[in-house]
């Protein structure tokens, strides 16, 4: 009798499990049931093609996921299933133009919901809402005419950075040093903080926070996600202290209203005529620091990599930078006019951004049903665009794997083919800031050193941003000793 009941329980359990899997699979399948959807594959139930999408980056070739499917389906748009979400991948300049032009009309930016655990915004709004508010505050501060006065400050920080971290060293690891440089610069320009000891405490926490953003979102002690949440709390507490002190300094005349973006935020009214609360400012400064931390450091890192591999490119950059340096008096900092002379250096940086863009692409979400290129896109679907559908396509960039800065001379690439900073209303507002910090980095680097890679075949992985797996170790050869 006991065996009979045991068999019955087992049968009921198997039947229930089978029925549950069928219902879940049917729900998964039904989201792809419209007959006029783009061609493509949806992969396995639940996980879809997430592993294939991520693993291409792990192997250092994130573009393969898209290039292979475009070729297989002979279509500039295809469907897939990423992170358990039905997703349409838009390819080529036509796809880029459509998504960039229809921001807030047919599509909206989207982020994983678990990001809100790392960024628990003060007003309990979503990361999407906070990002929109932040973008509304930035244009005035980040436009070229506003940034001009920071070139000298950037040069001062760069000089301190190279003097303390590069000079009198035989070998260095470029990637961690580039991250230190960009974070130090952001603290100085955004908040007028340049105390190295204080910045070290913040940057260690920022490394934990950034690592948690790309980890499995399991909030348990010891996990990267849990450490990121704790790091976010610590950074927010520290930023709140900075804001409270700045309020005192502004009242006593020790700080200027226009000295940095922190003062700008504290003295600027929102749309409803109210000044922002301290915790709101914390949220926005945190978002600004995160947004400008990793991307520029990656660009600086890979500029070093390519200049090591291409001595003829290095020679032209060195020549241009020394022409700038010869026009400066001893101890005189770089200025805005100096950076405008660095045309070839910026073309080199643009080619690095084409070949190794820090951001591979971004997700949008369909606000309503719409039709693109004859295919039906349902409301709620995720939409993905990738720089690699144009950056490495021979139709738009002949010999796409060849490093050729001349691509950016004259009028440059065709519209919507080159998009390392995105496009449309969501184009990165810090594009000009990034240009300045990259050029200042290049100037201070090449006028001091030549270098060689210590690991010639060092692998690059993308998870989700590109990075050299060993940190790009190089051997330095100072110019004054060669």
């Amino acid at each position: 009798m006991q065996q009979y009941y045991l068999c019955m329980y087992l049968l009921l359990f198997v039947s229930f499990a089978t029925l549950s899997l069928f219902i879940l699979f049917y729900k998964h399948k039904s989201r792809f049931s419209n007959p006029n959807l783009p061609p493509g594959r949806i992969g396995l139930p639940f996980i879809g093609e997430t592993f294939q999408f991520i693993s291409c980056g792990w192997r250092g070739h994130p573009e393969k996921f898209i290039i292979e499917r475009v070729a297989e389906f002979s279509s500039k748009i295809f469907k897939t299933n990423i992170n358990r979400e039905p997703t349409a991948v838009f390819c080529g300049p036509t796809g880029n133009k459509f998504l960039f032009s229809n921001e807030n009309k047919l599509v909206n930016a989207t982020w994983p919901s678990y990001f809100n655990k790392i960024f628990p915004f003060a007003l309990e709004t979503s990361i999407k809402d906070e990002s929109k508010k932040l973008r509304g505050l930035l244009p005035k501060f980040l436009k070229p005419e506003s940034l001009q006065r920071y070139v000298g400050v950037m040069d001062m920080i760069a000089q301190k950075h190279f003097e303390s971290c590069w000079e009198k060293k035989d070998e260095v690891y470029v990637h961690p040093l580039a991250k230190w440089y960009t974070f130090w610069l952001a603290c100085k320009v955004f908040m007028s903080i340049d105390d190295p000891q204080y910045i070290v405490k913040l940057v260690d926490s920022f490394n934990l926070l950034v690592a948690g953003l790309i980890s499995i979102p399991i909030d348990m002690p010891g996990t990267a996600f849990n450490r990121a949440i704790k790091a976010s709390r610590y950074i927010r507490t520290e930023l709140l202290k900075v804001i409270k002190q700045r309020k005192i300094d502004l009242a006593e005349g020790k700080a200027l209203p226009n000295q940095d973006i922190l003062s700008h935020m504290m003295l600027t009214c929102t749309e409803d005529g109210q000044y922002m609360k301290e915790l709101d400012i914390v949220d926005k400064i945190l978002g600004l620091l995160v947004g400008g931390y990793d991307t520029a450091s990656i660009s600086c890192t890979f500029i070093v990599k390519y200049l090591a591999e291409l001595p003829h490119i290095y020679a032209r950059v060195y020549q241009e930078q020394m022409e700038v340096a010869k026009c400066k008096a001893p101890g005189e900092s770089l200025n805005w006019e100096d950076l405008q002379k660095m045309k070839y250096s910026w073309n080199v940086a643009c080619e690095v951004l084409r070949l190794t863009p820090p951001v591979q692409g971004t997700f949008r979400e369909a606000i309503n049903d719409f039709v693109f290129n004859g295919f039906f896109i349902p409301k709620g679907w995720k939409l993905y665009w990738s720089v690699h559908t144009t950056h490495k396509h021979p139709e738009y960039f002949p010999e796409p794997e060849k490093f050729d800065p001349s691509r950016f001379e004259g009028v440059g690439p065709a519209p919507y083919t080159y998009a390392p900073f995105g496009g449309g209303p969501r184009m990165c507002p810090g594009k000009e800031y990034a240009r300045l910090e990259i050029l200042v980095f290049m100037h201070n680097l090449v006028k001091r050193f030549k270098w060689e890679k210590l690991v010639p075949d060092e692998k690059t992985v993308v998870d989700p941003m590109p990075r050299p797996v060993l940190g790009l170790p190089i051997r330095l050869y100072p110019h004054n000793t060669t």
Side-chain angles (χ1 to χ4, degrees):
M1 183 64 69
Q2 289 181 340
Q3 289 181 340
Y4 171 79
Y5 284 119
L6 182 62
C7 290
M8 288 295 294
Y9 285 135
L10 183 61
L11 180 62
L12 287 171
F13 174 79
V14 172
S15 299
F16 175 79
T18 302
L19 179 61
S20 299
L21 287 173
F22 174 80
I23 292 172
L24 288 171
F25 178 75
Y26 178 78
K27 181 179 179 181
H28 164 82
K29 183 179 179 181
S30 66
R31 303 179 78 182
F32 297 90
S33 60
N34 190 288
N36 200 35
L37 295 174
R41 292 192 296 269
I42 61 176
L44 297 172
F46 314 122
I47 63 172
E49 294 191 297
T50 305
F51 178 76
Q52 294 94 320
F53 178 74
I54 295 174
S55 64
C56 286
W58 290 341
R59 293 194 293 267
H61 301 285
E63 70 277 5
K64 284 191 65 176
F65 180 87
I66 294 173
I67 291 173
E68 290 175 353
R69 284 156 180 77
V70 169
E72 178 181 354
F73 304 118
S74 299
S75 174
K76 292 297 180 69
I77 179 173
F78 65 88
K79 68 175 180 285
T80 182
N81 182 2
I82 300 173
N83 295 329
R84 297 185 296 176
E85 295 281 0
T87 302
V89 180
F90 286 66
C91 305
T94 303
N96 291 350
K97 180 179 180 180
F98 179 86
L99 291 181
F100 297 161
S101 303
N102 284 285
E103 188 74 40
N104 302 322
K105 301 174 186 175
L106 295 175
V107 304
N108 266 340
T110 185
W111 289 269
S113 59
Y114 67 82
F115 274 27
N116 285 319
K117 295 199 72 174
I118 297 178
F119 302 104
F121 292 107
L123 297 178
E124 299 182 354
T125 55
S126 70
I127 190 172
K128 183 190 305 183
D129 294 333
E130 287 301 312
S131 177
K132 186 176 180 180
K133 293 176 184 176
L134 179 58
R135 294 176 71 86
L137 287 168
L138 292 182
K140 180 179 179 181
F141 180 82
L142 294 178
K143 58 186 179 180
E145 51 267 38
S146 298
L147 287 170
Q148 291 185 26
R149 61 194 179 98
Y150 289 102
V151 175
V153 174
M154 290 180 170
D155 190 33
M156 177 193 69
I157 295 297
Q159 290 182 43
K160 289 182 179 179
H161 168 73
F162 280 97
E163 288 167 2
S164 62
C165 300
W166 296 66
E167 292 183 358
K168 299 181 181 179
K169 304 271 196 324
D170 295 325
E171 300 173 2
V172 296
Y173 288 82
V174 176
H175 189 213
L177 288 183
K179 292 171 71 173
W180 171 240
Y181 162 74
T182 57
F183 191 74
W184 188 354
L185 203 58
C187 287
K188 176 63 176 178
V189 174
F190 299 156
M191 301 183 293
S192 300
I193 295 174
D194 61 0
D195 177 2
Q197 293 183 342
Y198 182 78
I199 295 172
V200 164
K201 293 194 300 180
L202 285 181
V203 79
D204 289 342
S205 295
F206 261 88
N207 285 331
L208 293 176
L209 188 155
V210 172
L213 290 175
I214 59 175
S215 67
I216 298 173
I218 299 176
D219 186 8
M220 295 180 61
T223 65
F225 188 66
N226 180 263
R227 289 194 292 269
I229 293 172
K230 292 179 179 178
S232 176
R233 291 175 188 155
Y234 170 78
I235 295 168
R236 287 163 59 84
T237 299
E238 290 299 310
L239 292 179
L240 188 59
K241 294 176 183 177
V242 172
I243 291 168
K244 289 182 179 296
Q245 183 60 49
R246 176 61 62 84
K247 183 178 289 188
I248 295 172
D249 291 344
L250 284 169
E252 295 178 352
K254 298 178 181 178
L256 300 175
N258 62 346
Q259 74 178 44
D260 53 32
I261 198 169
L262 176 58
S263 287
H264 175 70
M265 286 184 177
M266 295 179 69
L267 299 174
T268 300
C269 293
T270 57
E271 294 178 355
D272 58 3
Q274 301 295 316
Y275 289 106
M276 283 189 288
K277 297 178 181 177
E278 292 177 351
L279 289 178
D280 298 335
I281 299 173
V282 166
D283 295 335
K284 290 169 179 59
I285 291 290
L286 177 57
L288 194 62
L289 290 172
V290 170
Y293 174 46
D294 254 1
T295 52
S297 66
I298 289 167
S299 299
C300 291
T301 298
F302 282 93
I303 285 170
V304 175
K305 171 185 178 293
Y306 283 108
L307 290 182
E309 295 171 348
L310 303 165
H312 65 291
I313 301 292
Y314 171 90
R316 286 196 59 183
V317 171
Y318 176 74
Q319 179 183 8
E320 181 177 78
Q321 295 299 338
M322 290 310 296
E323 288 174 359
V324 172
K326 290 174 183 176
C327 297
K328 309 302 293 182
E332 184 183 359
S333 295
L334 292 172
N335 57 40
W336 178 259
E337 289 71 28
D338 295 327
L339 267 59
Q340 307 320 302
K341 300 174 184 176
M342 302 178 186
K343 291 182 172 56
Y344 182 77
S345 297
W346 182 240
N347 287 346
V348 169
C350 288
E351 183 70 339
V352 172
L353 287 166
R354 182 186 71 83
L355 288 167
T356 315
V359 178
Q360 311 305 298
T362 58
F363 286 93
R364 305 287 198 270
E365 184 175 330
I367 302 173
N368 294 297
D369 296 345
F370 64 85
V371 174
F372 175 75
N373 274 13
F375 295 111
F376 177 74
I377 307 297
K379 176 183 177 180
W381 268 40
K382 297 298 184 287
L383 316 167
Y384 183 71
W385 77 271
S386 168
V387 291
H388 296 299
T389 69
T390 56
H391 280 202
K392 293 190 175 182
H393 197 294
E395 180 180 350
Y396 316 116
F397 294 96
E399 297 183 85
E401 295 299 330
K402 179 182 178 181
F403 193 95
D404 183 8
S406 69
R407 304 178 196 274
F408 299 91
E409 295 175 354
V411 296
Y416 301 104
T417 61
Y418 180 70
F421 297 99
R426 294 203 60 77
M427 177 178 283
C428 176
K431 175 183 176 181
E432 185 64 18
Y433 172 82
R435 186 179 77 90
L436 302 189
E437 65 179 330
I438 289 171
L439 287 175
V440 169
F441 176 86
M442 293 177 73
H443 176 80
N444 280 276
L445 174 67
V446 301
K447 77 175 185 179
R448 285 175 169 83
F449 307 107
K450 290 183 68 175
W451 58 91
E452 66 177 355
K453 293 167 59 178
L454 290 175
V455 184
D457 57 349
E458 182 177 6
K459 182 182 178 183
T460 294
V461 297
V462 181
D463 60 353
M465 293 184 181
R467 61 176 177 85
V469 293
L470 301 177
L472 190 58
I474 61 172
R475 179 172 288 112
L476 296 172
Y477 298 100
H479 287 304
N480 57 2
T481 60
T482 56

